[in-house]
Amino acid sequence: MTFRRFLRWFLWTVLCLVVLVVVVVGSFWWYFHPTVQRTNAILYGKRGDQELALDVIKPAKPNGLGVLVLVSGGWKSGEPGTFGAWIVAPLLRRGYTVIPIYHVSQPEASVMEIIEDMHRAVRFVRHHAKDYGVDPQRLGVTGGSAGGHLSLMLATRGGPGPADATDPVDRESSAVQAVAIFFPVTDLLNLGKSTENLGDGGPPKSFLRAFGPESTNMVVWKVIGRETSPIYHVSTNLPPVLIYHGDADTLTPLEQSEWFEAKTREVGRPAKIVVHRGGQHGWLTMIFDIRKFGQWFDKHLRKQD
């Protein structure tokens, strides 16, 4: 091969590789930037003097179903409008209207108060479902870590509000119809192998203030811990639950999801666990797992022909 022919071959190969990279990168960018109509900071309630807000992210071709995203990590939330739509692109691509829910972060609000506010958020969405173009009887919920825990609290304790409530929103149900989440804590009274376990039966060591000033009182904690642990509230009304959990997670070990699944089996409503081998408290490919969440919601929220 002459030098000129080699040079021609080399340049052609480089050009093909560049085109390939551009196509792949462009395709990824396109996929994770779907066309949406977004309304931010819709007020759903108040916590003291703080406003509670949510966003509504509607895809170009909505399927009439809604998925609530509980924006919470360590029971801390963000500012309305800050949740990235690209994170839930697989859901938006399937037509789901995605509704990020924000809350007052701990310790300013206790975990118990945050749970109350998540119930309020579901009731608010259900009450205004027609405005958002979603079916009020088919709502999914998702989140990771604390967001997963809060999702399970809705799954296990969601239900009708007081019939005599002054605010019509509070009369609505806070029940959800399908759950798909990442690595939740399910039993706060048994932290097991977690690095948060002090071995004294008390709350997670880094979150003492999150459970209020009485959380270190063991008598009080037994009540708080039970009330805020999904595993103690599993019933036959449990909606379908999908959990993705890494087997190398030391903050919220896999056993938390395994214990929860065992409890759901007892009532004939088994949760499904997908183990991410080598996964810690989060992994780089979680965005692709959201596609599986979409399939889960398709199965349990869409009307089957």
Side-chain angles (χ1 to χ4, degrees), residues 1-2 4 11 32 50 97 165 182 211 222 225 269 298:
M1 179 184 294
T2 66
R4 180 174 292 180
L11 292 175
F32 290 109
Q50 298 234 44
T97 294
F182 293 105
F211 292 91
K222 294 300 180 185
R269 301 288 293 172
D298 284 351

Side-chain angles (χ1 to χ4, degrees), residues 151-232:
S151 296
L152 289 183
M153 289 304 299
L154 292 174
T156 56
R157 308 213 75 177
D164 59 352
T166 304
D167 187 342
V169 169
D170 290 329
R171 298 179 213 144
E172 298 281 2
S173 173
S174 61
V176 293
Q177 284 65 59
V179 180
I181 55 176
F182 293 105
F183 37 79
V185 61
T186 66
D187 190 347
L188 287 157
L189 293 180
N190 181 8
L191 296 174
K193 300 173 184 176
S194 172
T195 51
E196 288 295 314
N197 190 355
L198 285 173
D200 60 357
K205 66 181 182 182
S206 300
F207 300 94
L208 299 181
R209 296 174 62 206
F211 292 91
E214 295 296 312
S215 66
T216 54
N217 179 322
M218 287 301 107
V219 174
V220 175
W221 169 247
K222 294 300 180 185
V223 177
I224 293 174
R226 184 179 182 85
E227 283 297 299
T228 56
S229 294
I231 200 168
Y232 298 108

Side-chain angles (χ1 to χ4, degrees), residues 19-47:
V19 171
L20 179 61
V21 169
V22 169
V23 169
V24 170
V25 171
S27 297
F28 269 93
W29 189 95
W30 172 84
Y31 183 81
F32 290 109
H33 292 80
T35 300
V36 300
Q37 177 186 342
R38 182 165 188 158
T39 306
N40 294 331
I42 299 171
L43 184 67
Y44 71 84
K46 295 194 79 173
R47 168 59 57 191

Side-chain angles (χ1 to χ4, degrees), residues 66-126:
V67 174
L68 284 65
V69 180
L70 306 191
V71 185
S72 188
W75 297 288
K76 290 182 180 289
S77 197
E79 293 295 321
T82 59
F83 180 80
W86 64 271
I87 298 172
V88 288
L91 299 182
L92 294 165
R93 290 285 178 192
R94 299 178 98 87
Y96 289 96
T97 294
V98 175
I99 305 174
I101 309 290
Y102 307 88
H103 62 77
V104 177
S105 297
Q106 62 84 10
E108 192 170 354
S110 69
V111 172
M112 297 78 80
E113 291 171 328
I114 293 169
I115 292 170
E116 288 178 9
D117 293 338
M118 295 302 95
H119 283 280
R120 167 72 186 189
V122 178
R123 291 188 169 107
F124 183 90
V125 170
R126 181 160 278 122

Side-chain angles (χ1 to χ4, degrees), residues 52-74:
L52 300 171
L54 56 82
D55 305 330
V56 175
I57 308 174
K58 185 172 290 190
K61 296 180 179 179
N63 63 11
L65 301 173
V67 174
L68 284 65
V69 180
L70 306 191
V71 185
S72 188

